[in-house]
Amino acid sequence: APLAEIVVMSPSGLHVRRTGMTSWEWAPMDKRCKIHAGDRIAILLESPPGSGMPGPARDVEAEEAACLLGVELSSPGPQ
C-alpha cells in the first residue's frame, strides 16, 4: 500500500525514482503520484550530472542525472 499520495505543484513538474528502478519518472504539474516505501522524490535534479542544468521534462535513466536534493520515504517503525 502507498505511504502517501502527492500532487505535483511545480510548473516544471518533478521526478520520482521508484524502489528498485533505474530511472527517474517525470510527472507534470497537477499529476497525483502514489509514493511507496523506498521511493525517492527529487527536489533538485541535475541532468547531465555536473552540468548545472535542471532535469528535463521527461523520464531519465539514473546515469543521465544526479539528484542534488531529494527525499526518500520509509515506512514508520513500530510505535
Side-chain angles (χ1 to χ4, degrees), residues 17-43:
R17 188 167 172 185
R18 307 285 179 189
T19 300
M21 300 304 290
T22 61
S23 62
W24 289 94
E25 175 187 317
W26 180 75
M29 186 169 174
D30 296 325
K31 181 174 181 178
R32 294 183 173 275
C33 301
K34 290 183 179 1
I35 304 297
H36 297 83
D39 288 353
R40 300 176 193 166
I41 301 168
I43 297 167

Side-chain angles (χ1 to χ4, degrees), residues 3 50 61 63 67 73-74 78-79:
L3 289 177
E61 288 298 319
E63 65 272 3
C67 182
L73 277 75
S74 60
Q79 299 285 322

Side-chain angles (χ1 to χ4, degrees), residues 5-6 13-14 18 23 35 49 54-55 58-59 61 68 71 73:
E5 183 174 88
I6 62 170
L14 62 72
R18 307 285 179 189
S23 62
I35 304 297
R58 62 173 176 83
D59 295 354
E61 288 298 319
L68 303 180
V71 177
L73 277 75

